[in-house]
Amino acid sequence: MKRRILSLIFGAALFAAAEVSATQFSAPNDDFVLIAGGEATIGSPESEDWRSNDETQHRVTLSPFYLSKYEVTQKQWKSITGKNPSSFTGDALPVESVTWLEAVEFCNALSRREGRESAYTISDGGRTVSWNRRANGYRLPTEAEWEAAARAGSTTPFYSRKVPGADDANFYAHYPYQIEQNYFHDEVLETRPGVYRATTVSVGSFAPNPNGLFDMYGNVGEWCFDFYGAYPTAREVNPTGAESGTRRVYRGGGWNDFGKNLRSAYRAAMQQDSGAYNVGLRLALNADDSATGIVTTREEATAARAKTAKALIIYYSWSGNTRGVAKEIARQTGFDCVELELVKPYSASYNTVLNEAQRDQHAQARPALKTKIESKKWAEYDTIILGYPNWWASIPMPIATLLESYDFAGKQIVPFCSHGGGRFGQSLSAIAKLAPKAKIAAGLSVHYSGGGSLAKDVTKWLAKTGVKQ
């Protein structure tokens, strides 16, 4: 017996109805929304403010699929796994701090419980994951599916004309979209700074997007199936990302992200065996059998050594907070320690450096480094303990210069940052994208100078990472 799926309007295109088996491909309840197949535009135009160069705008054609209205909650996660890894606890809160591998295992376990065919086959200790595209089991959305569903036909930075504020999404609302270049005169912004909750909130706390999906921006970022890689310029049909890679994509921004990183086109990435306090997941299901075949993906080795042989502490500091953390790490480990200096230093004035920092981020500038490390000396280090202040929710551009100036392949990066409330922001994703062949270990975020607990916090972190002389 067949039923007809009514077509939906995606932008200006009206899509033909799809023939679907009512028994094999159906949503389990009203918590899933049908996203019709057809053409959509993903990525961002070059004119979009705060776009990244990995957001090449292009067209995709997608098969119809179902997407959960809500992010997976801690109650749902615990009902399947019996565990709750989340930093913030509450049944109605989104689960977070789950790895990509744990997310796909959860999808399979939920599928088995409901008598659906598992979408994924996991082998080689998680290095190889294959997706049966015809399976009717739960899965993660692809990156293209996620963005098309979030956009709901829009090609603007957000699905709404109005920039989201604290009443529209759960994010670091002190910093709405375009606040950076208007920090000292935010009265020109339509969406002004609002409350920063500094925690996740119950799923569905804000109005949904036009597709009926809640929290597509903020609360937690959401794992997608794809390995992170360059976008094409040509049209794609049901894209699934690169066949191999070192980072998986997550989308949507989290509770501690700035407005610029909530944009529909913004792409974040992390190792598939890593989790974060601002990353969770949302479930997808096939709506028909038009997408076929097996997609096999394999994680590329980053070849970091299991035990640190020789480490270098290298950091950039402006106010001295990051310097203080670096000195404490050096005191406890005895590792070599180098402070990055610039050919043209930033201003010593706080108000001025705020403008300089956002200006360089906006332009993706690469300030020249006065500090040089000989290639022979660099090759001796297998671990780089990398420190920086969280500037505008990401890395300072001198760190970007460093990451592009030296070969990080096969090295382990152990990050630490000083911050004023946003923890790492999107800085770890920035590092992951700029040093794709490095293994990234658990980081340490320090509030300003760290206070009286700094020494203990550093000791605990070093023990957790296994990085100690």
Side-chain angles (χ1 to χ4, degrees):
M1 178 179 176
K2 301 284 186 178
R3 66 182 174 89
R4 302 288 290 179
I5 291 183
L6 296 179
S7 60
L8 301 179
I9 293 179
F10 230 154
L14 181 65
F15 304 123
E19 291 284 353
V20 179
S21 166
T23 54
Q24 183 180 3
F25 296 103
S26 59
N29 52 50
D30 290 338
D31 285 347
F32 282 78
V33 172
L34 174 64
I35 308 297
E39 292 190 359
T41 298
I42 66 171
S44 62
E46 293 184 3
S47 60
E48 184 165 304
D49 200 20
W50 286 102
R51 82 183 296 268
S52 299
N53 59 10
D54 60 356
E55 299 172 11
T56 303
Q57 193 172 50
H58 62 291
R59 298 284 284 173
V60 295
T61 301
L62 302 173
S63 295
F65 63 99
Y66 292 104
L67 195 60
S68 174
K69 292 179 181 178
Y70 308 104
E71 295 162 334
V72 171
T73 65
Q74 294 174 29
K75 181 178 181 179
Q76 291 171 310
W77 186 270
K78 287 188 293 183
S79 73
I80 296 297
T81 68
K83 301 175 182 179
N84 185 6
S86 303
S87 298
F88 307 102
T89 55
D91 282 350
L93 299 180
V95 69
E96 25 86 2
S97 301
V98 298
T99 70
W100 183 91
L101 286 171
E102 289 170 337
V104 297
E105 289 169 349
F106 173 84
C107 290
N108 278 355
L110 181 58
S111 297
R112 289 192 296 269
R113 189 177 74 172
E114 296 190 3
R116 294 174 178 267
E117 182 181 8
S118 295
Y120 304 114
T121 300
I122 305 166
S123 58
D124 192 21
R127 291 280 305 281
T128 301
V129 177
S130 297
W131 170 22
N132 178 2
R133 299 217 65 180
R134 296 192 67 167
N136 69 344
Y138 294 96
R139 60 179 179 83
L140 301 177
T142 65
E143 187 175 15
E145 287 175 334
W146 188 95
E147 185 171 334
R151 286 190 174 282
S154 67
T155 55
T156 48
F158 306 95
Y159 57 71
S160 59
R161 184 196 62 78
K162 180 180 179 294
V163 169
D167 294 333
D168 308 302
N170 180 33
F171 70 109
Y172 203 153
H174 292 176
Y175 300 93
Y177 185 51
Q178 297 180 319
I179 185 67
E180 291 84 359
Q181 58 267 51
N182 298 290
Y183 188 71
F184 295 109
H185 48 94
D186 63 36
E187 68 278 357
V188 304
L189 298 175
E190 180 184 14
T191 298
R192 304 286 296 282
V195 65
Y196 173 37
R197 299 172 179 86
T199 180
T200 55
V201 298
S202 297
V203 300
S205 294
F206 303 93
N209 81 346
N211 276 334
L213 302 167
F214 295 84
D215 302 311
M216 292 300 279
Y217 301 146
N219 218 15
V220 291
E222 299 167 17
W223 282 118
C224 295
F225 175 76
D226 312 44
F227 272 120
Y228 174 78
Y231 268 170
T233 56
R235 183 190 306 269
E236 296 182 290
V237 178
N238 288 324
T240 57
E243 293 182 359
S244 63
T246 60
R247 318 295 191 221
R248 296 280 184 175
V249 172
Y250 63 95
R251 290 296 211 106
W255 56 269
N256 67 325
D257 278 312
F258 284 22
K260 62 186 178 184
N261 296 328
L262 304 187
R263 294 178 302 109
S264 296
Y266 179 73
R267 308 172 69 200
M270 184 166 51
Q271 293 164 178
Q272 65 177 29
D273 60 353
S274 295
Y277 42 71
N278 62 346
V279 180
L281 70 153
R282 183 185 303 264
L283 298 175
L285 286 164
N286 289 344
D288 68 10
D289 59 359
S290 59
T292 61
I294 305 294
V295 177
T296 297
T297 63
R298 182 169 177 79
E299 182 187 31
E300 298 172 6
T302 49
R305 301 175 194 176
K307 187 175 181 180
T308 301
K310 190 172 183 180
L312 171 67
I313 305 164
I314 189 165
Y315 66 94
Y316 174 74
S317 184
W318 179 79
S319 69
N321 289 331
T322 307
R323 182 183 302 114
V325 180
K327 296 299 184 184
E328 179 59 29
I329 297 169
R331 185 188 71 80
Q332 293 194 27
T333 62
F335 292 143
D336 296 342
C337 189
V338 174
E339 180 171 4
L340 291 178
E341 295 183 61
L342 306 183
V343 171
K344 185 178 179 181
Y346 287 115
S347 171
S349 164
Y350 177 73
N351 287 357
T352 303
V353 81
L354 284 176
N355 282 327
E356 292 175 340
Q358 71 83 19
R359 175 204 65 201
D360 278 2
Q361 274 193 358
H362 206 198
Q364 286 297 291
R366 297 294 187 262
L369 300 178
K370 182 178 179 181
T371 305
K372 305 291 182 183
I373 301 173
E374 293 182 2
S375 57
K376 185 177 180 180
K377 184 71 173 177
W378 179 262
E380 295 177 2
Y381 299 107
D382 61 271
T383 295
I384 306 298
I385 302 176
L386 182 63
Y388 53 90
N390 174 342
W391 274 8
W392 297 112
S394 192
I395 54 173
M397 289 299 96
I399 296 295
T401 304
L402 175 77
L403 292 169
E404 292 181 342
S405 299
Y406 295 88
D407 184 8
F408 282 81
K411 296 187 187 295
Q412 176 179 228
I413 296 176
V414 186
F416 67 95
C417 83
S418 56
H419 68 94
R423 301 195 194 183
F424 280 106
Q426 281 293 322
S427 65
L428 297 182
S429 181
I431 294 170
K433 291 194 278 188
L434 288 171
K437 299 298 184 181
K439 179 75 174 179
I440 300 178
L444 173 69
S445 61
V446 176
H447 193 243
Y448 292 115
S449 64
S453 67
L454 177 63
K456 290 182 179 179
D457 291 341
V458 168
T459 299
K460 184 178 179 180
W461 170 61
L462 291 172
K464 180 180 179 181
T465 59
V467 178
K468 195 162 186 180
Q469 191 120 301

